[in-house]
Amino acid sequence: MVPNNAGQARPVDILLVEDNPGDVRLVRESLHDGKVINQMSTVTDGREALAYLRKEGSFARVSRPDLILLDLNLPRKDGREVLAEIKSDPDLRRIPVVVITSSQAEEDILKSYNLHANCYITKPVDLNRFVQVVKSIEDFWLTIVKLPPA
Amino acid sequence: MSEGNRIEPAPESANPQTKPSLRTVTESTSSLYAFGWTRHWLLRYGFAVLVVTVAAILRSMPGKAFADTHPYITFYPAVILAAMLGGIGPGILATLLSVLWVGYTAAELSGAAAIWDPAEIFGFVLFTIMGLGINALVGAAQGSHRRAEEALRSRDEAQRLARVGNWAAHLPTGKLTWSAEVYRILGLDPALPPLTYEGLKRLFTPESWAEMDAAAKSIRQTGAPCEVDVEIVRPDGSKRWGAIRAKAVRDASGQIARLHGTVQDITERKRAEEALRKASNYTRSLIEASLDPLVTINREGQITDVNEATERATGVPRERLIGSDFCDYFTEPEKAREGYQQVFAQGSVQDYPLALRHSSGRITDVLYNATVFKNEAGEIEGVFAAARDVTEKKRAEEELARRAQELARSNADLQQFAYVASHDLQEPLRMVASFTQLLAQRYAGKLDADAKEFIGYAVDGAHRMQILVNDLLAYSRVGTRGGEFADTDCERVLETALNNLRMTIEETKAVITHDPLPQVQADEIQLCQVFQNLLGNALKFHGPDAPRVHVSAQDIRGEWRFSVRDNGIGIDPQQAQRIFVIFQRLHSRAEYPGTGLGLAIAKKIVERHGGRIWVESQPGKGSTFYFSLPMREVTYGTEQRRASAAG
């Protein structure tokens, strides 16, 4: 990957925590022609997400992601719990977590920020806007923001 | 004074003025003295001279009727008459005149020496002694009679003051005798003789007569003293009350021979008693009329008085309640005991909760309010306790609590619904919208016009539904997610709303003006929503001209009346109410997009603030939306702003 002159000097890994295959597909479609992404991994529930991050079990060989896209409503372990665990883990808490969810509920927004989410995004209904939003995430977090060293 | 004294068998022979029957000694002059002491002294002395003269004439009359040997014989009656009818003075005068007369005639007949005849001297001395003796006797009689009279007078006076008269009845003859006070009490003329027993009947009410008659019969049989209160109807029709006391007097053989006793005028006492009875009847009826069970309790916890409500609440009759233990009628007797002991200790208790147990087992929840009551000496006599039946209140409270709980649950449900609406409903919507769009984009070249049109409807539907869901969420959150009311500056709120609408304002080239706006007590975020919805509405439904909107607020009878006036298309007044109803639309979506929830949300917010919202409009002439907010308190800022607005 070509290092972006404005941001990262290296390609980044993204972990998408999303149980809805439609959304997984939409995110993948949106990032399709991205230049800066090394790899996007997907897990579909909260436990898997934490196992992935802690390189447990079958995830022993994965690399730690540079950015986490986290849905809130997840099976087995809720996105809020996952967020809480990440942000209370000294090893993991510096990884930016973008909460991207269908929920517009104020309590979800509030709770996410209280749990130190790095940002909160509501998934747009319109496809084009959705694509735009995901691209914005990519643009902002992967090219503008200076991420901590891996 | 003995009973016999009150009736004087008048000495008829000596007193021509004395009535020839038994009568009361009421006239102080009715005695031996036919003539008054002062007014008639001439008459009395003249009478003495007269009787002596008569005696002398009788003495001088020829014949042997009066022997010379007893010269004084004819003068004795003269002296006696003069002394008895004229008094001591005339009696002595008569004695002197008689002695002079006898001496003179003896000297004339037999010469001066005859006066010194021993027989003459003896006659003279004897006559003088006799004359003085008669006078002394008469004087003594007069004195004792006067004292008797004075005693009678003072007794009558005492009787008059005490309003007690006395009476006697001689049973064998049925003759009645009364003192003056009895006449007065009965309203009869004292000059008249007492009535017969039967004649008395008309002087009493039938009930009183019956009572008295029964008492009279009883005393004649048993001899036991008796007393009856009777109501007297005087001849003039006025009514009095008398207390008659009677005692039997037996003769030597043990037979009841006489009754005697007293009559007391107790009218005043009876009237006072009657007034008291009426007053206490009044109090009593108040006590009985109370719907609250009322009781009085003594120190031992015994019930001393109850009202009807207590009988109803306990199902126990008054006779059994009184004297029984107060605590017996409660589900928690010990608590009841503690309650009244607390009253004795502290003087009162308020709203002391207890449960009364009806004899049928029914329980009545009550609150007791009790206080001690004192006697005239200021000592605590007992406790007066009033129970308030709070069964209904308690049930209402429970019902209220139940409803509050229901409301809380329904609010929680609504919250849950709101969450579901905002999240779980959105996701499938997004899937439909996104993938139909993706389909359209990815396969653009392979789809015909129909396919594109159908996809268009699907996407549009999904979008509309999303807005709808969001609006519904907002609507449901007005009540459940509202914040506290705080001092809110309406001008700042309006600015925020205008800021939120900036895009639309720019697009429509709208001109929005406002008057000075007050400070109110409100949920700022919600109030902003109201302004935003009303302004948005005004901007949306504009006519051919660019929208002009004016916002103002007026103080009308203690509430703020806000208005948002536009120059838009207006509303048919007949539709004016519908526009505030959820999902009600007056126009097709094609003409004016929207879910029809904006005004419904505004209405809900205004109502949550205790205000009203309405619209005045004519089609084509613009609309003015009004909403009111109660002034919870006049804030300083308001006054200030008004002043500055005026300036």
Side-chain angles (χ1 to χ4, degrees), chain B residues 288 293-295 303 305-326 328-330 356-362:
Chain B
E288 294 300 336
L294 306 177
V295 294
I303 295 174
D305 195 7
V306 296
N307 68 347
E308 259 181 67
T310 310
E311 294 180 289
R312 280 197 301 273
T314 56
V316 178
R318 196 176 292 251
E319 313 80 70
R320 274 175 49 208
L321 281 167
I322 291 172
S324 66
D325 190 341
F326 173 69
D328 288 350
Y329 303 98
F330 296 93
L356 266 171
R357 194 200 303 277
H358 189 271
S359 59
S360 70
R362 192 183 71 225

Side-chain angles (χ1 to χ4, degrees), chain B residues 178 309 428 452 552:
Chain B
W178 299 341
K452 284 177 185 164
S552 69

Side-chain angles (χ1 to χ4, degrees), chain A residues 18-20 22-23 25-26 29 71-73 80 101-108 123-128 130, chain B residues 415 418-419 422-424 426-427 429-431 433-435 437-439 441-442 459 462-463 466 470 473 477 481:
Chain A
E18 173 64 73
D19 66 319
N20 180 355
D23 276 326
R25 182 65 191 267
L26 283 176
E29 292 285 338
D71 189 13
L72 287 183
N73 286 20
R80 298 163 193 82
T101 174
S102 307
S103 172
Q104 300 191 0
E106 283 166 27
E107 48 268 47
D108 278 342
K123 294 170 184 169
V125 174
D126 184 83
L127 176 69
N128 297 327
F130 189 97
Chain B
Q415 199 96 336
Y419 188 79
S422 78
H423 185 276
D424 296 8
Q426 301 269 21
E427 193 148 309
L429 264 177
R430 259 183 334 97
M431 291 298 103
S434 299
F435 284 92
Q437 277 180 294
L438 197 55
L439 196 63
Q441 285 173 13
R442 197 64 57 89
V459 172
H463 279 187
Q466 192 199 22
N470 284 340
L473 178 64
R477 284 184 167 196
R481 301 288 298 170

Side-chain angles (χ1 to χ4, degrees), chain B residues 59-115:
Chain B
R59 179 74 194 155
S60 326
M61 273 171 61
K64 299 297 174 196
F66 304 101
D68 291 345
T69 51
H70 302 290
Y72 291 104
I73 194 94
T74 53
F75 293 98
Y76 281 108
V79 170
I80 289 167
L81 271 175
M84 288 188 79
L85 297 181
I88 295 172
I92 289 172
L93 177 68
T95 309
L96 285 174
L97 288 174
S98 303
V99 168
L100 285 175
W101 177 267
V102 172
Y104 169 73
T105 47
E108 199 170 89
L109 288 175
S110 321
I115 301 170

Side-chain angles (χ1 to χ4, degrees), chain B residues 286-540:
Chain B
L286 283 184
I287 290 169
E288 294 300 336
S290 167
L291 295 177
D292 293 339
L294 306 177
V295 294
T296 56
I297 315 160
N298 63 16
R299 281 199 177 270
E300 288 69 48
Q302 284 176 323
I303 295 174
T304 49
D305 195 7
V306 296
N307 68 347
E308 259 181 67
T310 310
E311 294 180 289
R312 280 197 301 273
T314 56
V316 178
R318 196 176 292 251
E319 313 80 70
R320 274 175 49 208
L321 281 167
I322 291 172
S324 66
D325 190 341
F326 173 69
C327 305
D328 288 350
Y329 303 98
F330 296 93
T331 54
E332 297 167 279
E334 275 317 304
K335 195 176 166 195
R337 195 176 312 282
E338 278 165 32
Y340 78 74
Q341 281 170 352
Q342 199 177 324
V343 186
F344 277 115
Q346 299 171 4
S348 69
V349 294
Q350 278 196 339
D351 292 342
Y352 191 89
L354 285 171
L356 266 171
R357 194 200 303 277
H358 189 271
S359 59
S360 70
R362 192 183 71 225
I363 307 292
T364 311
D365 288 309
V366 292
L367 286 180
Y368 260 99
N369 283 290
T371 172
V372 292
F373 62 93
K374 298 177 178 176
N375 63 14
E376 283 162 357
E379 296 153 342
I380 293 173
E381 264 195 353
V383 162
F384 175 80
R388 167 66 40 104
D389 182 347
V390 290
T391 314
E392 276 305 307
K393 197 175 150 211
K394 213 167 169 179
R395 204 161 62 198
E397 275 169 6
E398 282 167 2
E399 176 70 12
L400 204 63
R402 196 179 58 76
R403 287 192 185 175
Q405 208 174 357
E406 254 174 36
L407 195 65
R409 199 174 55 235
S410 116
N411 275 349
D413 287 352
L414 205 59
Q415 199 96 336
Q416 186 59 28
F417 161 78
Y419 188 79
V420 167
S422 78
H423 185 276
D424 296 8
L425 287 182
Q426 301 269 21
E427 193 148 309
L429 264 177
R430 259 183 334 97
M431 291 298 103
V432 172
S434 299
F435 284 92
T436 44
Q437 277 180 294
L438 197 55
L439 196 63
Q441 285 173 13
R442 197 64 57 89
Y443 300 93
K446 296 171 188 170
L447 295 172
D448 61 9
D450 274 359
K452 284 177 185 164
E453 191 189 339
F454 298 163
I455 286 171
Y457 291 138
V459 172
D460 181 52
H463 279 187
R464 280 210 322 272
M465 186 152 169
Q466 192 199 22
I467 296 164
L468 210 53
V469 164
N470 284 340
D471 281 358
L472 260 181
L473 178 64
Y475 183 80
S476 76
R477 284 184 167 196
V478 168
T480 59
R481 301 288 298 170
E484 295 282 307
F485 294 170
D487 278 345
T488 303
D489 182 343
C490 291
E491 297 213 2
R492 208 181 63 210
V493 171
L494 181 64
E495 264 168 44
T496 311
L498 291 174
N499 212 35
N500 293 345
L501 293 164
R502 204 178 55 226
M503 296 278 285
T504 323
I505 294 169
E506 281 168 9
E507 278 167 25
T508 56
K509 296 182 168 53
V511 179
I512 298 174
T513 55
H514 69 91
D515 288 340
L517 298 179
Q519 193 131 357
V520 295
Q521 287 279 307
D523 175 342
E524 186 166 339
I525 293 167
Q526 290 193 339
L527 190 57
C528 180
Q529 185 78 56
V530 173
F531 278 119
Q532 202 171 310
N533 288 9
L534 293 179
L535 289 168
N537 205 67
L539 299 178
K540 193 200 283 184

